[in-house]
Structures are given as C-alpha cells and as structure tokens.
Amino acid sequence: MPDWSYHPLKKLILNKLSPKTSREFIHKSMSTIASIPGGRNLIEFLGHMKAPQELQKEIQYSGFPSPIGLSGHLDPNLSGLNAFQVLGFGFIEIGPIVVKKPKIESEPKIENSQILFSNYHEKVPLKQVIKKLTTLNMQIPILAKIDTQVTRNEWDIIVQHLTPFVDGFIGTSEQINSFVANNAVCLEHSFYVSISTKDMNNIELNTRKLLRHPSIGGFVINAPRQTEDSYWYESGYANECLAKIVKEVKELSPEIIVITSGGVETPEEARTLVHAGADLLILTDGYVKAGPGLPKRIHERLLYEKIRPIETQNWFWSFLFGLSILIGGIIALYFAFTSVILPYDESFIGLTRTNILQVNPLILSFMSHDRMALAGTMISGGILYIQLARHGIKNDMHWTRIAFHSAAIVGFIGIFLFIGFGYFDWLHGLFWLILLPIYHFSYKEGKKITGAPFSSHGKNDRVWQYGLYGQLLFIMLGFMILVGGIVISTIGVSKVFVSTDLSFLCMTPQMLDHISNNLIPVIAHDRAGFGSALISVGLLVLMISLWGFRKGERWIWNTLCLGALPAFIAGIGTHIYIGYTTFIHLLPVYFLVILYLLGLVLSYPFLKQK
C-alpha cells in the first residue's frame, strides 16, 4: 500500500473506522499479499521500497539493511510482521512482551487527528511471539521490547525463549540493573536501555553508570510525551528534544549505539536525528500519519546527503533505440496519411488500392485509422524511451533501466501478435531486425546502471499531498492503457472487429471475407500491432508514475506531458479525420484524456518545483 493509495483510502474509509480495526485491516491485507507466491515482487513493483545498499549498517554483529525501524506500539498483534520487512524497514521492534496476556487492555484512539496510546496499551504474549517468529522467514533484525511490569522469573523466561529469534532486547534501566548485571544467561546477549527524555536530565551520570554493564548495547531514547487522562501522545517538540539529547550523548560517548523512538513524521526530521548522531530510528505514530512510503522517502533524503548525480557514458544506444522508434512512428504516420497500404499489402490481399476504393472507400479509411493510431503510439513510445535515456539512464538511475528494458522486451515479443491471423508484415519485420542490434547494445550498457534514487524532499506539505493524487491518476492512466492494449491485441488475434467497427464499415466480416480472403488478416495484423504498442507504452507510463515521482523531478512531468500527446492526438484525431466518431467507441479515450489532464495539473507544483 504505497502513499498514493494509502492516503485516498485513509481519507475515504480508514479514518471512519476505529484505529484498531483500520490498523488490523491494513496489516493483515499487506501480510496476506506478502505471503502468496509473487506477493513480495508485487509489493516491490508497486512501491520500489527496498532499502539502498549505501545505508546498510552492522551493529552488534547484526546486519541492518536500513537504519529505519518500526515501533511495536503500531503492531502489537504482529499481524503485519511479514509485510514490514518488504516495505523498506531495516529492523522491527516487537512488544511490549509479557508471559501472560493482561486482563485489562485499551485500544488506541484518535482525537483531533492525534493518535492517543493508552497507559494500558495492548501487549503481546510470549507464546504468540514464538508462534509467529517460527512460521515466518524474517530477513531483518528484530529487537524484542520486554514489558516494564514483568518479574525477574518472567524476564529470564522471555530472554531464554526468544534468544534464537531476536537480535537484541529492550528494557528499562531498572530492569537492566536488577535482572542483567549478575545473570550469566543475559550476559550473552545485547540489551538496549529504554529511557525517556526526562531520565536524561543528568546525561553524563546516567550514561557512564549504564555503560558499566558489558551486555549493554546502547540506548533507546523515547520521544517526550504528553498525557491526557490515561492516554499519552508524543509532544510537538519531540524531534528537537531528541536531536539535542542524541547529540549530547554522542559527544560524551561517540562509540555508544543510540536508537531514537518517535519524533519522526517527515524525511527532514529523520535527517535531523541522523545528523545529531542517531544510529537507528524507530518510527511511531508519524508512520501512520505520513504513510507506508515514509521509510523510502527517508532513504532518499539520507542518500541526498551522501551522493550526487553521476552522469554515465552508458546511454547512447538507449537514446538511439528510442529515436529509432520515434522515426519509425513518423514514417508509419506518413504512409497512414497517404497510400495507407503498401505494394506488398496489395499483393497479399489480391486487390489494389483502387479496387478497394471501388468496393467500399470506408475500408481504407478504417485501415488508415488503425495505422494512424499505431504511428501515434510509436511516437509516444519513442519520446518516453528517449526521456528515460536522457534523464534516467544517463544519470545512473536504476529504476529507469528496469522500466526501459521491461517495456522494450514486451514490445519485441509483440511481433508475434502480428502474425496471429497468418499475415507477416515485412516492413515491420525489417524494422524490428534493425532495432534488435541497437537494443542489444542498449541492454549491455544498461547493466552498469545501478544507482539508487535520492531526493531533497523533506516535508509532508500540501504540495506533496496534491502530488500523490496526481501520481495516482497517472498510475491509473498507465494501467488502463496497458489493459486497453491487452484487450485490443486479444480482439486483433480473435474476432478482429467490435460492433461499432462493423457499423462504421456497413459490412459484416463475411462480406469482407467475400471481397478477399486475405483482407481481414491484414486488418487483424494492424489491430494486434497497435495493441502491442499500447502495452509497451502503458508499461512505460505505469512504471514512470510508480517509481519516478519525486520533488523537483521536472523531467518526469515533461516526459508524461509530451509523451502522451502524440498517442492522444492520433487516437482522437484519426477518428475525426475519417468520420468514425461514435461516442461509446471513443469514451475510453475521453476518460484517459481527463485522467491525463487532471494528473498534470495536480502533479505540476510537486514535480516542477525547483
């Protein structure tokens, strides 16, 4: 559930449910998807959330793919555990863990858009933790937070049973002093001391006292809280307070591991804590407010501090590939406006252009409309490929390489649709033969493109929210173009015509077949070719919209704006040109144009902002 789907759904449905109901719905839904075959690949395709290698860390002999973790308060039932490890998190906190589930528990609630956690918050029993962890293949570290009310005996039981499954434990300073100091079992594990900002009044004294224990791995500093009756919520100044304390602790003991819990709702706030010296960050209610894309956006903000754009020399062949498709589309458009059919078409059909005009002039008009639409789609595809090469592959953006080659391979496979009715277009075949070596070199140079995306965007402002709705509309646009291409290709290799086509032609398939047995195969080949081109362009628009939306990425807006115009102009213009203007036939195109225009308007401030 990326941000572009989370926020509309949250506004329309989730905010109207109880916090627990909406929480469990989201977590269980995502975990179910992550559990089915191909589910994790689907999540990665939709969100591209995998943490970049540049942010990997090794702490206490455990590898953390990312410094960003999730608080146990947000998933006390462990229902989303399977999904979180594919949403970009580098580790997960579970708990508070108890031996037996308490009789009194209170769910969180929302007041004035603020999440309130109960002092009697939900806790997870040890048996449930063990059952969950034994059935899951966790690939990221887990930190187990032990409840503050457990006894010495319960502490030992929890530590002994969870040792094989977790990478560290979190407890209070009182628990560490009482249960860990002289316990031989505990000395073998890493413990992190959970402390509040109030406990850090005498930072130097507390730090030196706790670091005397050899099993202490570091501190978990919790964001300052405010209380209302029996509920609490994070203070508005949490980020500033945490940054100040982290900096002071690091100045006293630079080698100590410091983990912050809370105080992060935006990428900029995460950057502030990292710059102050925090080694790991645990997200709390800020994750709920900002959306599941927050870890990804934090990664991109942190990477912005580490790397700068690197222009590679490995984009010439990719640019040439797109340019070739663009030129091919222009040539196809020229023939569609002039002769429509070529000599080898006439030879296969057994009729000349003049003969067909004498039988029914609308037949050539109909063939012209398919070929114009194909040409416009090819020109759009060429623009999209060129833009991906010039601005993405040239600047070492790995996601652009995936989008480029996925669509190109699908386009090459589409050549087999041309012969679905027994007609092979030699000009198309020659065109693909020319493209094939160009694409071969493009694919080879693309192997060197490995860069992760980065961004300076740090705030959850209104411009970003409008951008999410614009992104959603473009994703819908790309998906519907893709589906439309599949439908048209299927029709092209099966029944060829829809009812409105036959109404325009004023002829039945039998009548066309009577004119020439080879007339319908030529028309079918045009349809299938157009559908195949739509599939490639739909994939490009979809992947650019899914993976390319970042603040100030002006070229993304320009690409979507310019790239769609030839296809839309050809798609609508050709129907007006030949007089085939049946409303129901053009309704899908009208709807796509509306999505396109609204998407451009809503995403303009976000993408075009410098």
Side-chain angles (χ1 to χ4, degrees):
M1 187 174 289
D3 288 343
W4 49 262
S5 63
Y6 172 79
H7 284 280
L9 184 64
K10 184 174 185 290
K11 187 174 183 180
L12 293 174
I13 300 176
L14 298 180
N15 285 347
K16 298 177 182 179
L17 303 174
S18 71
K20 182 177 180 180
T21 302
S22 61
R23 178 192 75 198
E24 294 303 313
F25 168 74
I26 292 176
H27 291 178
K28 289 180 179 179
S29 299
M30 291 192 298
S31 288
T32 300
I33 294 173
S35 301
I36 62 176
R40 295 193 177 190
N41 292 331
L42 174 62
I43 293 175
E44 178 62 18
F45 176 79
L46 292 177
H48 227 54
M49 295 181 175
K50 188 177 181 180
Q53 293 183 353
E54 291 86 346
L55 297 180
Q56 291 181 0
K57 287 190 173 187
E58 184 170 334
I59 297 175
Q60 303 294 339
Y61 306 105
S62 295
F64 290 75
S66 159
I68 311 302
L70 185 69
S71 170
H73 284 297
L74 298 186
D75 188 24
N77 295 329
L78 308 182
S79 52
L81 205 57
N82 193 35
F84 291 136
Q85 58 184 330
V86 291
L87 293 180
F89 288 106
F91 67 101
I92 300 292
E93 176 194 73
I94 60 174
I97 300 171
V98 293
V99 175
K100 293 183 179 180
K101 196 172 185 66
K103 296 180 180 180
I104 301 176
E105 286 186 338
S106 297
E107 302 174 9
K109 63 180 183 179
I110 297 179
E111 290 184 2
N112 300 322
S113 301
Q114 180 68 54
I115 301 176
L116 303 179
F117 294 97
S118 172
N119 292 332
Y120 304 98
H121 187 59
E122 301 155 281
K123 299 174 183 178
V124 54
L126 178 61
K127 286 185 178 180
Q128 183 179 344
V129 176
I130 295 174
K131 181 180 179 181
K132 198 73 175 181
L133 295 182
T134 51
T135 57
L136 294 179
N137 179 25
M138 294 299 296
Q139 299 173 355
I140 58 176
I142 295 178
L143 300 182
K145 184 176 183 179
I146 303 177
D147 186 60
T148 58
Q149 303 299 319
V150 300
T151 64
R152 170 64 181 269
N153 185 51
E154 290 174 333
W155 171 279
D156 291 341
I157 291 173
I158 293 172
V159 171
Q160 289 176 1
H161 282 82
L162 292 187
T163 293
F165 305 104
V166 304
D167 297 83
F169 296 91
I170 300 174
T172 65
S173 58
E174 292 79 8
Q175 289 174 326
I176 300 298
N177 287 323
S178 303
F179 303 155
V180 175
N182 299 314
N183 190 321
V185 174
C186 292
L187 289 174
E188 301 174 1
H189 312 293
S190 294
F191 290 85
Y192 296 90
V193 183
S194 176
I195 52 180
S196 67
T197 51
K198 292 181 180 179
D199 297 332
M200 299 300 290
N201 290 331
N202 192 335
I203 294 177
E204 184 174 0
L205 179 62
N206 286 320
T207 300
R208 290 178 178 175
K209 183 179 179 181
L210 289 169
L211 288 179
R212 294 172 186 170
H213 300 302
S215 57
I216 299 299
F219 292 148
V220 177
I221 305 176
N222 298 289
R225 301 172 176 177
Q226 293 184 0
T227 59
E228 276 190 16
D229 300 327
S230 59
Y231 287 85
W232 59 267
Y233 60 92
E234 289 186 7
S235 301
Y237 57 89
N239 185 258
E240 298 175 9
C241 183
L242 282 173
K244 179 182 178 182
I245 293 176
V246 168
K247 187 175 181 180
E248 292 177 355
V249 171
K250 280 293 187 177
E251 287 176 352
L252 288 172
S253 303
E255 74 286 353
I256 193 172
I257 302 300
V258 176
I259 306 172
T260 61
S261 180
V264 174
E265 188 177 336
T266 68
E268 191 63 36
E269 289 175 338
R271 171 189 172 274
T272 299
L273 294 180
V274 170
H275 274 236
D279 298 284
L280 301 174
L281 312 178
I282 298 177
L283 302 183
T284 55
D285 62 328
Y287 178 70
V288 180
K289 297 174 183 176
L294 183 57
K296 174 186 174 182
R297 294 167 55 222
I298 292 174
H299 296 155
E300 293 173 356
R301 184 66 184 90
L302 296 178
L303 277 184
Y304 185 79
E305 305 291 323
K306 289 177 172 286
I307 59 178
R308 283 291 176 268
I310 301 175
E311 289 192 6
T312 71
Q313 303 300 317
N314 305 311
W315 66 284
F316 169 77
W317 289 104
S318 299
F319 175 83
L320 185 60
F321 180 82
L323 182 62
S324 301
I325 292 179
L326 176 63
I327 294 173
I330 294 173
I331 294 172
L333 188 64
Y334 169 77
F335 287 125
F337 267 115
T338 53
S339 61
V340 182
I341 58 174
L342 298 173
Y344 62 82
D345 293 323
E346 295 176 330
S347 175
F348 181 79
I349 296 172
L351 296 170
T352 65
R353 183 176 185 275
T354 304
N355 296 145
I356 296 174
L357 285 172
Q358 290 174 345
V359 174
N360 185 350
L362 294 177
I363 295 176
L364 276 183
S365 295
F366 184 79
M367 295 177 69
S368 172
H369 116 280
D370 270 348
R371 296 193 171 191
M372 285 183 191
L374 169 62
T377 305
M378 287 180 64
I379 294 172
S380 286
I383 292 173
L384 295 175
Y385 283 121
I386 288 172
Q387 287 288 89
L388 285 173
R390 288 181 63 239
H391 298 281
I393 294 175
K394 179 181 179 181
N395 290 313
D396 195 37
M397 295 185 188
H398 180 254
W399 73 264
T400 59
R401 169 197 149 194
I402 298 175
F404 187 102
H405 294 294
S406 298
I409 291 172
V410 169
F412 275 111
I413 295 174
I415 193 173
F416 295 106
L417 295 176
F418 298 167
I419 57 177
F421 256 75
Y423 178 58
F424 183 79
D425 188 323
W426 291 104
L427 187 60
H428 280 172
L430 179 62
F431 179 62
W432 286 125
L433 283 177
I434 294 172
L435 276 182
L436 194 59
I438 297 176
Y439 177 71
H440 170 72
F441 291 113
S442 169
Y443 185 81
K444 285 185 67 176
E445 71 182 8
K447 290 182 177 180
K448 300 176 183 178
I449 308 301
T450 59
F454 53 91
S455 174
S456 63
H457 182 221
K459 297 180 180 179
N460 301 337
D461 51 16
R462 190 172 296 275
V463 169
W464 168 69
Q465 292 174 352
Y466 284 147
L468 289 179
Y469 284 95
Q471 183 181 14
L472 174 61
L473 292 175
F474 273 116
I475 289 170
M476 291 172 60
L477 176 67
F479 179 75
M480 294 182 72
I481 293 173
L482 174 63
V483 172
I486 294 172
V487 171
I488 292 173
S489 297
T490 304
I491 292 173
V493 297
S494 55
K495 61 181 183 179
V496 183
F497 302 102
V498 294
S499 59
T500 53
D501 297 334
L502 299 175
S503 298
F504 172 77
L505 289 168
C506 299
M507 300 182 77
T508 65
Q510 291 75 19
M511 295 170 67
L512 290 168
D513 208 36
H514 182 73
I515 297 171
S516 171
N517 292 333
N518 291 331
L519 184 56
I520 290 180
V522 174
I523 296 174
H525 128 275
D526 288 339
R527 297 240 124 155
F530 172 47
S532 172
L534 274 180
I535 292 173
S536 291
V537 169
L539 275 174
L540 285 172
V541 173
L542 179 61
M543 289 184 284
I544 289 172
S545 304
L546 283 172
W547 306 335
F549 267 63
R550 289 174 188 83
K551 177 185 175 182
E553 293 283 9
R554 303 167 66 86
W555 74 273
I556 293 292
W557 193 91
N558 294 338
T559 298
L560 293 172
C561 178
L562 297 175
L565 279 179
F568 283 137
I569 293 172
I572 297 176
T574 184
H575 286 82
I576 297 174
Y577 178 73
I578 68 170
Y580 185 5
T581 55
T582 307
F583 178 76
I584 192 67
H585 181 72
L586 289 174
L587 182 59
V589 184
Y590 295 148
F591 182 67
L592 293 180
V593 171
I594 293 173
L595 290 179
Y596 165 74
L597 294 175
L598 288 176
L600 288 178
V601 171
L602 290 173
S603 61
Y604 182 89
F606 181 65
L607 292 177
K608 296 287 279 188
Q609 192 177 59
K610 290 186 179 181

